[in-house]
Amino acid sequence: MSTASQAGITPSHWYNIIGDLPFELPPDIAQDRQGAGGTVKFQVPLALVRQSVGRECDIAIPAPVRERYNAWRPTPLLRAERLEQALGTTARIYYKYEGNNVSGSHKLSTAIAQSYYYSMAGTRRLTTGTGAGQWGTALAVGSRSFGMACKVYMVGASFRQKPYRKTIMELLGAEVVASPSGDTASGAKSLREGGMDSGNIAFAVTEALEDALSTEGTQLSVGSGEAYSILHSTVIGLEAQNQLASLGIAPDMVIASLGAGSNFGGIAFPYLRDRLRGTSNVRCLTVEPEACPKLTRGVYRYDYTDGSGITPLQKMYTLGYRFRTAGMHAGGLRYHACSKLISALYHRGLIEAVAYPQTDVFASATLFARLEGIVPAPEAAHAVHAAIREAERARDAGDSPVVLFCLSGHGMFDLAAYAEYLEGRMQDVSVTDAEIRASLEALPKIEEPELV
Amino acid sequence: MSTASQAGITPSHWYNIIGDLPFELPPDIAQDRQGAGGTVKFQVPLALVRQSVGRECDIAIPAPVRERYNAWRPTPLLRAERLEQALGTTARIYYKYEGNNVSGSHKLSTAIAQSYYYSMAGTRRLTTGTGAGQWGTALAVGSRSFGMACKVYMVGASFRQKPYRKTIMELLGAEVVASPSGDTASGAKSLREGGMDSGNIAFAVTEALEDALSTEGTQLSVGSGEAYSILHSTVIGLEAQNQLASLGIAPDMVIASLGAGSNFGGIAFPYLRDRLRGTSNVRCLTVEPEACPKLTRGVYRYDYTDGSGITPLQKMYTLGYRFRTAGMHAGGLRYHACSKLISALYHRGLIEAVAYPQTDVFASATLFARLEGIVPAPEAAHAVHAAIREAERARDAGDSPVVLFCLSGHGMFDLAAYAEYLEGRMQDVSVTDAEIRASLEALPKIEEPELV
């Protein structure tokens, strides 16, 4: 790599794309269906609710949040010169690296912001569910930054397979239990009945929610997909814009992997702003795993945002809320659907999507690690692979575009996956059309509201 | 943390302290004693030999090395503001963070330089022995940067306990085997005879050396303690000086942990230069583990620099080359002796030394991680602990010194040790006077040469 810009200036405002949308977003549908945890009232602070529906484009980052951001922001903007040379490409490849913080991923930017708003609303303790552990780690840091306690319900299988993720959360001051746990009524019931020892993220969130609802001063915080979590993540794209602008560079293409949306939206929305305002033709490309192809093979319809069916319905690209992604290493990309904001943009052709199999993704990540000296997280590796494919395409076509991608996290906790790849034991994971159809057919029939 | 300076300028020259020493270094004593691997000729490139004996103070960093340094240098200089507040200290605490590279530690600066000089001398493949894996990881990166192959003989016990260290070396393109291995005659013999399955660093180096001596175009590279490895590491202290000078700050005290010496010398020698030249009164403090107290409880005499007794004898502070540090987590601080350069400076009272038990060290590292958002490697944690103790002392005395320490590496591969600490299972490891005496009595009697 070579450092394009380590300096630059962290922006003073987040960017809210809702104010620039040339269309109305389909409204959410409240529902009184009982989920696994019963009918639910999310107690999200008013400031976060406003950020999810308001049309003001520039939202000031509160001073206490900016002060915490300064601990690791601005993050480096780097040029992948050795990779370019190895590919023999005429493309220039830049990447924004978000792994240089103790949580190891881009999620810290919204964890800090959410923790601030919850603490201002009087919360003294946050709970959450985490799968592979990135979100739990980020929230452990965020909670502590604002003097709140934090309890993380970690999917049992991950808890046992990734003991170091548990340790780092504890090291950062959080309480961590395997879900199902004996600490909640629903967890205790599940343990008594047996059959779900390994847990899943939907159940972990259910336990975290029960804890929050039954404990004074406690609220549940969720990591991705919400409009406000994308909003907070736009600090990444805005910062990249500042850094590239100081070099006189505007990218032709912006690439990021897609879990629920905060990573992709975080880097792409500030560039989409320019496109929506007619000052740029930048292409924005999401990358998803072939094992969880919500944009490339899902449908655009109303669905639950969680896996238990307790949340309001949102119109999204989805594989169905009961879809269970088969075992693959990019745990952060297993979410069944895609944020309604990003779904709407995709539906209108304003962004693009591509899906890749994991062995190709790990091959690119290994090449990247050897040349650039950063080990990508499996999630981030999807963006690496897409950037390499675009650079190869440019080479073959004789083009010289500027490609920017988000390297959203490091892979120091994912070396078992790399070992599997290096030893030739990794297999691709795919999903059949019939499986997707079956998952979608299980969805409740929803009468769609008419748009005003 | 708050960023004091991420910018600054990577220096153009390394600093060679030999040119400023107001005394002669005791000469090495060549010896024809047969070690485990037989009598040995080290084939160190002439440039590195010159760097170990020359008196020129400023040695230009070759352009290809500088270019590689640019991939992660300058490293951040940070202020531990939240830690200062938590301690209620009037001291200002700055730290130079060397963990932000793929090898995870300060060792990459000399690995890159050594790889350059070996490749210029016609070497096509490097071998080395590694214990916990930091040096092997750094050399994997260095070798690859200059187009050489790399084979790492990793202490068998670590190979099995730290599989991810092996994976990351392989990911970076090195071949890694557990030592004793079946790949060398000495390794095969050891495996046949049995009883040493877990290996040790001395034997791993012996195997790496046998490989180098018997394979065309192959040389052995060693990580620390040599004058040239300290020289290359001075880029750290010189860079910190530039960064602090740009803020108008000169530290009153510089602190670093002590393995063989490249970490301590790397940050402290540029400051000692000013002290030797009479322009500063800066105090330089080495920190060692109570389990391996070579400066604080060893003796200053001739000893072998390796654990097998195959190297020339050097006058050093030592616990005896057969000393085996009992199990403790800072694997990089287990070396029985201390670089002759640092030993001579300590002998003349130009630097200070202190030793701490590991549970105190981990308590400080945990506090640091929670407040500053970086998980220190156990080796680096010794410097964290010493800085905290100095800051507490300053608070109690009403002083306000500026303390600078080197945070030499991250602890992402050491979370098992943190788990042991957090769960109350960690024990202190100490060594008795009788054990040290016994180890020293096993040393051969050496007639010391008279100094000219």
Side-chain angles (χ1 to χ4, degrees):
Chain A
M1 74 180 95
S2 71
T3 301
S5 176
Q6 290 244 17
I9 292 168
T10 301
S12 58
H13 291 69
W14 292 304
Y15 168 60
N16 173 21
I17 201 171
I18 300 173
D20 279 319
L21 292 182
F23 51 82
E24 286 290 319
L25 280 175
D28 298 355
I29 303 177
Q31 44 109 15
D32 55 8
R33 183 169 172 281
Q34 292 258 323
T39 303
V40 159
K41 286 186 186 62
F42 287 103
Q43 306 210 0
V44 175
L46 194 58
L48 293 179
V49 174
R50 285 200 182 119
Q51 291 175 1
S52 302
V53 296
R55 297 188 58 91
E56 192 189 346
C57 283
D58 300 307
I59 296 182
I61 304 176
V65 174
R66 287 197 57 159
E67 191 220 309
R68 265 73 174 187
Y69 278 2
N70 286 339
W72 83 100
R73 310 209 68 89
T75 61
L77 181 85
L78 300 155
R79 181 167 174 189
E81 275 185 321
R82 293 170 75 86
L83 180 63
E84 290 171 17
Q85 286 159 18
L87 298 172
T89 183
T90 40
R92 278 178 291 166
I93 307 175
Y94 291 87
Y95 56 102
K96 181 76 170 158
Y97 182 42
E98 291 293 314
N100 263 356
N101 67 68
V102 72
S103 84
S105 82
H106 71 285
K107 290 194 180 245
L108 192 53
S109 292
T110 184
I112 292 281
Q114 289 190 42
S115 296
Y116 167 74
Y117 289 114
Y118 276 103
S119 75
M120 292 299 289
T123 304
R124 296 189 305 278
R125 178 171 171 272
L126 289 176
T127 62
T128 197
T130 198
Q134 286 97 331
W135 171 245
T137 311
L139 196 66
V141 179
S143 308
R144 196 176 176 87
S145 295
F146 291 99
M148 292 180 290
C150 180
K151 180 161 182 176
V152 179
Y153 292 84
M154 186 173 182
V155 172
S158 293
F159 185 91
R160 285 176 282 274
Q161 283 162 16
K162 303 198 172 192
Y164 297 151
R165 270 286 177 195
K166 165 184 169 281
T167 299
I168 197 165
M169 286 186 269
E170 290 177 341
L171 179 57
L172 296 169
E175 184 187 355
V176 187
V177 291
S179 169
S181 78
D183 295 5
T184 65
S186 51
K189 178 164 178 282
S190 171
L191 289 176
R192 270 196 313 276
E193 293 171 356
M196 207 195 54
D197 287 358
S198 60
N200 61 57
I201 183 66
F203 195 80
V205 172
T206 299
E207 286 202 80
L209 182 59
E210 181 190 324
D211 180 334
L213 291 174
S214 61
T215 315
E216 181 68 23
T218 299
Q219 298 292 349
L220 168 75
S221 168
V222 290
S224 188
E226 298 295 332
Y228 56 77
S229 69
I230 304 180
L231 174 79
H232 305 151
S233 306
T234 59
V235 66
I236 298 165
L238 292 163
E239 210 174 79
Q241 279 186 323
N242 287 349
Q243 291 169 317
L244 282 175
S246 74
L247 303 169
I249 293 168
D252 298 291
M253 180 162 231
V254 177
I255 299 173
S257 62
L258 183 70
S262 68
N263 175 45
F264 174 75
I267 194 156
F269 280 8
Y271 285 100
L272 278 165
R273 169 186 60 188
D274 300 345
R275 183 164 162 160
L276 292 170
R277 293 179 184 179
T279 59
S280 154
N281 288 314
V282 63
R283 292 170 56 199
C284 295
L285 176 66
T286 69
V287 194
E288 50 189 26
E290 272 195 356
C292 189
K294 45 249 190 169
L295 285 187
T296 51
R297 292 170 67 197
V299 296
Y300 189 47
R301 57 156 294 175
Y302 276 88
D303 193 4
Y304 304 106
T305 57
D306 73 316
S308 297
I310 52 180
T311 49
L313 292 149
Q314 300 190 348
K315 189 156 183 182
M316 312 179 288
Y317 276 87
T318 182
L319 297 166
Y321 78 107
R322 291 287 194 189
F323 184 82
R324 292 287 176 266
T325 305
M328 57 134 190
H329 291 289
L333 307 185
R334 298 175 77 161
Y335 184 59
H336 68 280
C338 168
S339 150
K340 62 181 178 184
L341 272 174
I342 292 167
S343 292
L345 290 162
Y346 183 66
H347 186 62
R348 280 163 180 79
L350 290 163
I351 62 172
E352 303 165 44
V354 67
Y356 290 117
Q358 69 176 357
T359 52
D360 289 357
V361 165
F362 273 84
S364 289
T366 299
L367 179 69
F368 184 87
R370 289 180 182 177
L371 293 167
E372 296 293 314
I374 299 176
V375 180
E379 295 82 2
H382 284 73
V384 171
H385 182 62
I388 287 176
R389 294 297 301 272
E390 290 300 322
E392 289 172 339
R393 204 163 290 146
R395 174 194 64 204
D396 298 342
D399 290 340
S400 13
V402 173
V403 174
L404 168 68
F405 72 90
C406 188
L407 191 68
S408 52
H410 69 63
M412 288 294 130
F413 292 106
D414 303 283
L415 290 169
Y418 278 98
E420 202 177 296
Y421 171 73
L422 292 169
E423 292 160 15
R425 293 183 285 110
M426 183 175 285
Q427 300 201 320
D428 282 330
V429 181
S430 58
V431 53
T432 65
D433 287 339
E435 285 165 337
I436 293 174
R437 233 181 356 257
S439 171
L440 291 171
E441 276 164 11
L443 285 181
K445 304 293 170 238
I446 304 291
E447 190 164 331
E448 299 209 357
E450 272 181 52
L451 283 182
V452 255
Chain B
M1 75 179 95
S2 72
T3 302
S5 176
Q6 289 244 19
I9 291 168
T10 301
S12 58
H13 292 68
W14 293 303
Y15 169 61
N16 172 23
I17 201 171
I18 299 174
D20 279 318
L21 292 183
F23 51 82
E24 285 291 319
L25 280 176
D28 298 354
I29 303 176
Q31 45 109 12
D32 55 10
R33 183 170 172 282
Q34 292 259 325
T39 303
V40 159
K41 284 184 189 62
F42 286 102
Q43 306 211 0
V44 174
L46 194 57
L48 293 179
V49 174
R50 285 200 183 119
Q51 290 175 0
S52 302
V53 296
R55 297 189 58 91
E56 191 189 346
C57 283
D58 300 307
I59 296 180
I61 305 176
V65 174
R66 287 197 55 157
E67 190 221 310
R68 265 70 173 187
Y69 278 2
N70 287 339
W72 83 100
R73 310 208 68 89
T75 61
L77 180 84
L78 301 155
R79 181 166 174 190
E81 274 185 323
R82 292 169 75 87
L83 179 63
E84 290 170 18
Q85 285 158 18
L87 297 172
T89 182
T90 40
R92 277 177 291 167
I93 307 175
Y94 292 87
Y95 56 101
K96 181 77 169 158
Y97 182 41
E98 292 292 315
N100 263 356
N101 67 67
V102 72
S103 83
S105 82
H106 71 285
K107 289 194 182 245
L108 191 54
S109 291
T110 183
I112 292 281
Q114 290 190 41
S115 295
Y116 166 75
Y117 289 115
Y118 276 103
S119 75
M120 292 299 289
T123 304
R124 295 188 306 277
R125 178 171 171 271
L126 289 176
T127 62
T128 197
T130 198
Q134 286 97 331
W135 171 245
T137 311
L139 197 66
V141 179
S143 307
R144 192 172 179 92
S145 296
F146 292 100
M148 293 180 290
C150 180
K151 180 160 181 176
V152 178
Y153 292 84
M154 185 173 182
V155 172
S158 294
F159 185 91
R160 285 175 282 273
Q161 283 162 17
K162 303 197 173 194
Y164 298 151
R165 270 286 178 197
K166 165 184 170 281
T167 300
I168 197 166
M169 288 187 267
E170 290 177 341
L171 178 59
L172 297 169
E175 183 186 356
V176 187
V177 291
S179 168
S181 77
D183 296 6
T184 65
S186 51
K189 178 165 176 285
S190 170
L191 290 176
R192 269 196 312 276
E193 294 171 355
M196 206 194 56
D197 287 358
S198 60
N200 61 56
I201 183 65
F203 195 82
V205 172
T206 299
E207 284 202 82
L209 182 59
E210 182 190 322
D211 179 334
L213 291 173
S214 61
T215 315
E216 180 69 23
T218 299
Q219 298 292 349
L220 168 74
S221 168
V222 289
S224 188
E226 298 294 333
Y228 56 77
S229 70
I230 303 180
L231 174 78
H232 305 150
S233 305
T234 59
V235 68
I236 298 165
L238 292 163
E239 212 174 79
Q241 278 186 322
N242 287 349
Q243 291 169 316
L244 281 175
S246 74
L247 303 170
I249 293 168
D252 298 292
M253 180 163 230
V254 177
I255 299 174
S257 63
L258 183 70
S262 69
N263 175 43
F264 174 75
I267 194 157
F269 280 9
Y271 285 99
L272 278 165
R273 169 187 59 188
D274 299 345
R275 182 163 163 161
L276 292 170
R277 292 179 184 179
T279 58
S280 154
N281 287 315
V282 63
R283 291 170 55 199
C284 295
L285 176 66
T286 69
V287 194
E288 50 189 27
E290 273 196 353
C292 190
K294 45 248 190 169
L295 285 187
T296 51
R297 292 170 68 197
V299 295
Y300 189 46
R301 56 156 295 173
Y302 276 89
D303 194 4
Y304 305 105
T305 57
D306 72 316
S308 297
I310 53 182
T311 48
L313 291 149
Q314 298 189 349
K315 190 156 183 181
M316 311 178 289
Y317 275 87
T318 181
L319 297 166
Y321 77 107
R322 292 286 194 191
F323 184 81
R324 292 286 175 268
T325 305
M328 56 134 192
H329 291 290
L333 307 185
R334 299 176 76 160
Y335 184 59
H336 67 280
C338 169
S339 150
K340 63 181 178 183
L341 272 174
I342 292 167
S343 292
L345 290 162
Y346 183 66
H347 186 62
R348 279 166 182 77
L350 290 162
I351 62 172
E352 301 165 46
V354 67
Y356 289 117
Q358 69 177 358
T359 51
D360 289 356
V361 164
F362 272 84
S364 289
T366 299
L367 179 69
F368 184 87
R370 289 179 182 177
L371 292 168
E372 296 294 315
I374 298 177
V375 180
E379 295 82 0
H382 284 73
V384 172
H385 182 62
I388 287 176
R389 294 297 301 271
E390 289 300 323
E392 289 171 338
R393 203 163 291 145
R395 175 195 62 203
D396 299 342
D399 291 339
S400 13
V402 173
V403 174
L404 169 68
F405 72 90
C406 188
L407 191 68
S408 51
H410 68 65
M412 289 293 130
F413 292 106
D414 303 284
L415 290 170
Y418 278 97
E420 202 176 297
Y421 170 74
L422 292 168
E423 292 159 15
R425 293 183 284 111
M426 183 175 284
Q427 301 202 318
D428 282 329
V429 181
S430 59
V431 52
T432 65
D433 288 339
E435 285 165 337
I436 294 175
R437 236 182 354 257
S439 171
L440 291 171
E441 277 165 9
L443 285 180
K445 304 294 169 239
I446 303 292
E447 192 165 331
E448 298 209 357
E450 274 181 52
L451 282 181
V452 257

